[in-house]
Amino acid sequence: MALTGLEIYKQLPKKNCGECGVPTCLAFAMALASGKAALDTCPYVTAAAKEALDSASAPPIKAIKFGKDSVLGDENVLFRHDKTFYHPTTLLIRVSDALSDADVEAKVQEINGLEFDRVGLHYSIDGVAVVHESGDAARFEKVAGMVAAGTDKSLLLLSSDPAALKAALVPLASRKPLVGEATAENYEAMVNLAKENSVPVILKAEGLDALNDLAEKAQALGYKEFVLDPGSRKPVETLANLTHLRRLAIKKKFRPFGYPVVAYTSNPEPLDEIMEASVYVAKYASAIVLNTSTKAHILPLMTLRQNLYTDPQKPIQVEPKLHTVGDVNENSPFYITTNFSLTYYSVEGEVEATKIPSYILPIDTDGTSVLTAYAAGKFEPEKIAQAMEASGIADKVKHRNIIIPGYVAVISGKLGELTGWKVVVGPRESSGIISFAKSQLG
Amino acid sequence: MLIFGERINGMFTDIGNALRNKDPKPIQHWAVKQQEGGAHYLDVNSGPAIPTEERVEAYEWMVNVIQEVSDLPLVLDSTNYNAIEAGLKVCKRPAIINSCPAEQVKIERVFPMAIQYNAGVIGLTMDKKGIPKDSENRVAFAMELVAAADEYGLRMEDLFIDPLILPVNVAQEHAPEVLESLRQVKMLADPAPRTVLGLSNVSQKSPDRNLINRTYLAMAIACGLDAAIMDANDDDLVDVAATAQILLNKSIYADSYLKVFRSR
């Protein structure tokens, strides 16, 4: 987004000297905002002001990439219905270096096994966070190496000791791990280490004021690959911090907070922990570090993530294959509809209420409703005939009746000719299916 | 879209007489009637009905009698800032000061007063020399008002920029310039200042005033108009405001949107 006149005006020297060719600084600010003037024509603008104006035109939250295709940040809205959320939360499972070798192996095995197939989609966990808790730098290096050898997922290396981190990071630098944590005490060594290895680094401070201070100091070292950690570990505080950070970055273009944010779960009970993580997925965390790695805990979280990061402008679709309602048999009626989820589920709900086991074939109309698809030429007899053929419905029922939506009664003749089936025109609204089924299918 | 009901103005005979006779009835009648029509604020203007030296007292009286029958917030409309201040002192809800041109002396009087009484300000895009013809100069004045708001700590949402519409029969070329000004004002600051028009001006002394008013209102809303001082009892006009709100996706659509718009 372009800068507003007021934002530019605040950075100008306010001398009203007219040397830029415009009588006042205010008028010059407006000329800049509308693109009619260049900042160079002002001889008194400071380097700091130039930098502020340059960076204000950058995206509100920087994209931070690490590991295996993990992208954090680069978001533009506070509510997904305003546009969409772009980069799904990166989920990492925590592995402590205080575990025994055998336990580390087992944990990595379990993490690798977190693969799910659901409603035609494949989910897998994004990465592993190796946490330095042993107090022994050599141990941290060894466990980091074991984890890296055991999985190709993205890595997060967490230690507050720059020397330990360096030892672990250098052999793994080609994997481009995310590292941390830079704090007020160690940030120079940490940020420089990250800079030398071209990896992003987590800046951690207690509270937003301290984080602001740390981010400004870290930026002054000439590096900008940062992920923020506002230090809170209680869900209520983390929620507030995540909201403030996102709001300030987007609404106020507050540059020190123009980075993605990492959240850590704190609840020891896995079910509570997943609830906590669900809040962070919904409320702007770009990465979450979890303790639990049980399939039953992770699947609902990944499903939520999938749902929240879908684009609300794009219609949600159901799989365009033959669906069944109830315990179907060779006499079950056969309905046609479209694969727009709203349409499909309206039909499915009503068909279910008829208590007659039935087949429903949603035709792939790119997720549009019956009338929209018909108007756009996506719900034509030829296409329906093909979909029926592909679905194998002919072998599943012994009758030869197709029930079509009442609004497209006009296609019945052609569809009958193409398929040789009898086309029954159903009700216009799915709410009419129950009485239709009673009178026609009894 | 906020409707500032324009009817309580001493330029109208009934209100003028009410002011002279200290008769609260006509004023209270219009307060209630405009609220029923869909007004969100009531503009209060003594006009020239009473002598200057009595205006301070008149504003205090008007605010009080209106507040007896209506809980709508008020827009205090006068060039006499002492009269406005007297009104602000008795306002129960945050009011709006109508108005302040882009002149340093007046800004220094009005903006601190707005902060003190938690009031909004209608800022006119003009100075002593008058109303500029083109949008560029209107926007330049708007920018001065925006900078003043920033300086005094007035929230941008409390600053209403009025780019000053003039009658289309004698100043036709102003109408498109005002539309362009409305668009550009929105780019001056983030959050942007709000915008307002004295809508009925556009149709002064023209036939079919209502048609001109509502056509221009729809055009102005599309350009970013947030509020209008207008006839809250012109149902067709209020319908336009409600419909524009729907077409700009500012209110969630319902079949009964016209009713919903009037009920809040």
Side-chain angles (χ1 to χ4, degrees):
Chain A
M1 190 187 146
L3 283 166
T4 66
L6 185 63
E7 285 166 311
I8 298 170
Y9 176 63
K10 286 180 166 180
Q11 300 291 342
L12 294 182
K14 303 185 186 69
K15 289 169 70 91
N16 296 326
C17 61
E19 286 179 45
C20 59
V22 181
T24 65
C25 288
L26 201 53
F28 182 55
M30 290 184 48
L32 285 170
S34 56
K36 285 180 197 142
L39 192 60
D40 307 342
T41 55
C42 173
Y44 303 106
V45 69
T46 64
K50 264 188 186 141
E51 161 73 18
L53 293 173
D54 279 345
S55 69
S57 55
I61 299 176
K62 189 170 162 58
I64 300 293
K65 296 178 183 163
F66 78 100
K68 191 189 168 200
D69 308 326
S70 295
V71 183
L72 312 179
D74 197 17
E75 300 290 345
N76 299 312
V77 292
L78 289 168
F79 300 101
R80 71 184 275 274
H81 61 253
D82 286 342
K83 190 142 189 111
T84 185
F85 292 160
Y86 291 96
H87 301 287
T89 316
T90 294
L91 299 175
L92 304 135
I93 309 282
R94 184 174 181 281
V95 175
S96 169
D97 72 342
L99 296 176
S100 69
D101 285 3
D103 286 346
V104 170
E105 297 278 5
K107 187 85 175 171
V108 171
Q109 277 287 322
E110 189 176 32
I111 292 167
N112 282 334
L114 292 172
E115 303 268 335
F116 307 91
D117 285 293
R118 193 183 147 272
V119 294
L121 296 166
H122 185 77
Y123 307 154
S124 60
I125 203 88
D126 306 288
V128 183
V130 184
V131 186
H132 186 197
E133 285 178 329
S134 63
D136 174 359
R139 179 66 194 159
F140 182 59
E141 182 188 350
K142 183 176 179 211
V143 172
M146 280 174 67
V147 171
T151 184
D152 65 348
K153 295 184 184 299
S154 298
L155 298 175
L156 162 58
L157 304 177
L158 266 189
S159 170
S160 51
D161 172 4
L165 185 64
K166 185 173 184 180
L169 167 62
V170 172
L172 300 176
S174 64
R175 295 275 296 264
K176 206 173 178 203
L178 172 62
V179 301
E181 314 160 317
T183 60
E185 290 73 41
N186 69 11
Y187 78 92
E188 273 181 272
M190 282 288 186
V191 172
N192 285 326
L193 177 63
K195 192 174 167 182
E196 281 155 25
N197 290 280
S198 311
V199 296
V201 57
I202 295 171
L203 305 180
K204 180 187 177 186
E206 293 298 324
L208 299 186
D209 288 338
L211 190 59
N212 173 15
D213 193 44
L214 179 60
E216 279 175 357
K217 283 188 198 153
Q219 282 176 339
L221 297 174
Y223 198 55
K224 287 193 166 169
E225 294 290 311
F226 299 140
V227 175
L228 305 178
D229 172 4
S232 51
R233 293 294 179 265
K234 271 196 198 157
V236 60
E237 285 163 10
T238 304
L239 172 61
N241 284 335
L242 284 164
T243 307
H244 284 311
L245 289 167
R246 172 70 71 96
R247 219 184 255 168
L248 285 163
I250 289 175
K251 297 271 181 201
K252 299 285 178 196
K253 295 196 200 90
F254 189 71
R255 306 313 298 177
F257 292 163
Y259 301 99
V261 184
V262 60
Y264 299 83
T265 53
S266 59
N267 268 297
E269 277 297 319
L271 294 184
D272 294 339
E273 186 194 357
I274 293 302
M275 277 297 291
E276 182 187 357
S278 300
V279 172
Y280 303 158
V281 167
K283 301 308 284 187
Y284 323 131
S286 286
I288 301 176
V289 179
L290 299 156
N291 285 310
T292 180
S293 48
T294 307
K295 273 193 146 182
H297 300 150
I298 299 296
L299 177 61
L301 186 64
M302 300 196 87
T303 305
L304 175 72
R305 177 181 73 167
Q306 168 73 36
N307 289 344
L308 284 173
Y309 279 83
T310 53
D311 184 347
Q313 326 305 316
K314 285 189 194 141
I316 303 172
Q317 309 179 17
V318 296
E319 237 187 310
K321 59 164 197 189
L322 191 62
H323 293 243
T324 60
V325 175
D327 201 1
V328 288
N329 58 49
E330 60 188 15
N331 297 315
S332 294
F334 172 60
Y335 296 87
I336 297 273
T337 186
T338 77
N339 75 327
F340 178 35
S341 71
L342 208 59
T343 301
Y344 175 79
Y345 286 110
S346 303
V347 172
E348 195 199 71
E350 295 297 331
V351 168
E352 215 171 340
T354 66
K355 301 212 168 65
I356 303 171
S358 305
Y359 287 102
I360 309 174
L361 180 61
I363 306 299
D364 185 355
T365 57
D366 300 324
T368 55
S369 66
V370 170
L371 282 179
T372 312
Y374 177 64
K378 291 175 180 171
F379 199 63
E380 288 178 333
E382 292 81 0
K383 196 169 175 184
I384 299 171
Q386 271 173 26
M388 281 174 59
E389 180 75 31
S391 75
I393 183 69
D395 301 329
K396 295 189 158 93
V397 292
K398 65 176 191 202
H399 66 76
R400 287 293 178 263
N401 297 323
I402 317 168
I403 304 167
I404 64 167
Y407 278 117
V408 291
V410 59
I411 66 169
S412 56
K414 184 85 179 283
L415 184 59
E417 270 171 40
L418 283 172
T419 58
W421 287 40
K422 184 184 165 205
V423 179
V424 181
V425 177
R428 288 184 161 206
E429 302 290 339
S430 60
S431 56
I433 287 176
I434 295 184
S435 59
F436 165 84
K438 261 188 201 149
S439 62
Q440 305 279 313
L441 313 169
Chain B
M1 172 70 201
L2 295 172
I3 295 173
F4 298 172
E6 69 185 3
R7 189 56 176 73
I8 302 177
N9 188 316
M11 294 287 277
F12 290 99
T13 319
D14 57 349
I15 302 292
N17 288 338
L19 279 164
R20 279 185 285 267
N21 306 332
K22 280 273 159 78
D23 171 14
K25 293 237 166 52
I27 293 173
Q28 293 179 334
H29 165 77
W30 281 109
V32 172
K33 195 170 154 127
Q34 293 186 96
Q35 181 162 3
E36 285 165 1
H40 303 98
Y41 279 76
L42 300 173
D43 192 81
V44 181
N45 190 336
S46 72
I50 41 170
T52 318
E53 62 273 15
E54 289 173 25
R55 292 216 180 129
V56 168
E57 194 198 335
Y59 269 79
E60 188 185 326
W61 178 74
M62 282 196 289
V63 169
N64 281 327
V65 300
I66 291 168
Q67 288 184 155
E68 283 172 22
V69 295
S70 170
D71 56 3
L72 286 186
L74 305 179
V75 177
L76 300 175
D77 189 351
S78 178
T79 48
N80 181 335
Y81 294 132
N82 293 333
I84 286 186
E85 186 154 20
L88 286 173
K89 279 183 183 154
V90 286
C91 277
K92 288 181 190 153
R93 297 183 63 186
I96 296 172
I97 299 168
N98 186 8
S99 55
C100 180
E103 286 172 42
Q104 204 49 41
V105 184
K106 299 200 170 162
I107 286 173
E108 283 168 16
R109 170 77 176 97
V110 173
F111 279 67
M113 177 161 72
I115 300 291
Q116 186 185 346
Y117 295 98
N118 192 22
V121 174
I122 294 180
L124 308 179
T125 61
M126 62 179 287
D127 63 1
K128 277 196 285 263
K129 284 175 249 153
I131 300 174
K133 188 173 269 182
D134 57 4
S135 65
E136 266 175 33
N137 285 311
R138 279 182 159 93
V139 176
F141 283 134
M143 185 64 205
E144 287 189 31
L145 292 158
V146 163
D150 186 59
E151 187 189 336
Y152 285 97
L154 184 77
R155 298 187 320 146
M156 284 301 155
E157 299 94 303
D158 286 336
L159 176 64
F160 291 80
I161 298 293
D162 181 349
L164 295 163
I165 184 63
L166 296 174
V168 67
N169 57 353
V170 294
Q172 190 171 5
E173 67 280 14
H174 280 263
E177 297 294 335
V178 167
L179 294 178
E180 182 56 28
S181 307
L182 287 171
R183 271 189 217 108
Q184 291 193 13
V185 163
K186 286 294 173 188
M187 288 180 271
L188 292 181
D190 184 17
R194 294 207 269 184
T195 51
V196 64
L197 284 177
L199 183 67
S200 307
N201 262 346
V202 72
S203 62
Q204 285 288 353
K205 302 272 191 294
S206 297
D208 294 324
R209 288 196 66 177
N210 294 358
L211 175 62
I212 295 172
N213 288 347
R214 64 179 184 263
T215 304
Y216 198 68
L217 180 63
M219 295 168 84
I221 293 175
C223 295
L225 185 72
D226 298 302
I229 305 169
M230 59 178 240
D231 181 354
N233 295 106
D234 176 346
D235 284 345
D236 290 340
L237 186 61
V238 176
D239 284 353
V240 165
T243 307
Q245 191 94 346
I246 293 296
L247 294 175
L248 288 173
N249 192 25
K250 296 215 167 148
S251 300
I252 294 175
Y253 179 85
D255 288 350
S256 57
Y257 72 87
L258 292 177
K259 205 172 137 201
V260 172
F261 181 79
R262 284 181 172 81
S263 67
R264 38 181 204 189

